[in-house]
Amino acid sequence: MNIDKLHQEIYDIVQDDTKTALVVKLVIKNKKEEEAKRKEKIINGIKAAQDKGVVFGRPKKKIPEQFDIIYEMYEKHRVSSRAAARMLGVAQSTFLKWCNEHACSEVHQ
């Protein structure tokens, strides 16, 4: 919203600076209240969807069956993380994330 343009348009109709400033303040206040209501509706909608079990975001990649074998080779320094990721057909960052999750799960067992 261009406040200067709004101010000028209202002034052209009202021809009084004090009244124009008051009307502009009311318009701005109303716009902020509507935006707050809209955001609250969105948040409530998201919460309701999550309560129903809707999952947002990109689905996680499933860890391939060969991961354990390749992870073992990686741990023994027989292949690099880049080569291991290539073997699994994923990005290196995904492979390293899986390694971190695998290491954490081994600690908690």
Side-chain angles (χ1 to χ4, degrees):
M1 171 191 310
N2 186 340
I3 296 174
D4 294 330
K5 184 178 178 184
L6 175 67
H7 189 277
Q8 184 60 46
E9 289 176 1
I10 294 172
Y11 182 79
D12 291 346
I13 297 168
V14 179
Q15 297 293 319
D16 182 353
D17 275 334
T18 307
K19 290 179 182 176
T20 300
L22 182 62
V23 171
V24 169
K25 282 183 184 178
L26 289 173
V27 168
I28 291 170
K29 179 182 175 191
N30 187 11
K31 181 145 176 84
K32 286 181 181 178
E33 288 173 355
E34 286 178 2
E35 190 172 324
K37 286 180 187 177
R38 185 178 59 81
K39 285 182 180 179
E40 186 177 339
K41 261 180 122 174
I42 291 169
I43 290 169
N44 290 339
I46 290 170
K47 285 181 183 174
Q50 287 174 335
D51 290 344
K52 290 180 182 177
V54 175
V55 179
F56 293 92
R58 187 176 184 159
K60 281 186 152 188
K61 281 193 174 211
K62 291 189 177 15
I63 298 177
E65 292 177 18
Q66 312 92 326
F67 174 77
D68 288 332
I69 297 164
I70 295 173
Y71 176 74
E72 194 175 313
M73 292 168 58
Y74 168 70
E75 283 289 296
K76 293 180 179 177
H77 303 286
R78 295 202 332 240
V79 295
S80 67
S81 61
R82 205 169 287 218
R86 207 174 308 119
M87 287 180 208
L88 293 170
V90 297
Q92 181 182 14
S93 58
T94 302
F95 174 73
L96 291 172
K97 182 179 77 169
W98 289 344
C99 290
N100 189 31
E101 291 170 0
H102 187 75
C104 288
S105 68
E106 284 180 348
V107 170
H108 292 295
Q109 286 181 355

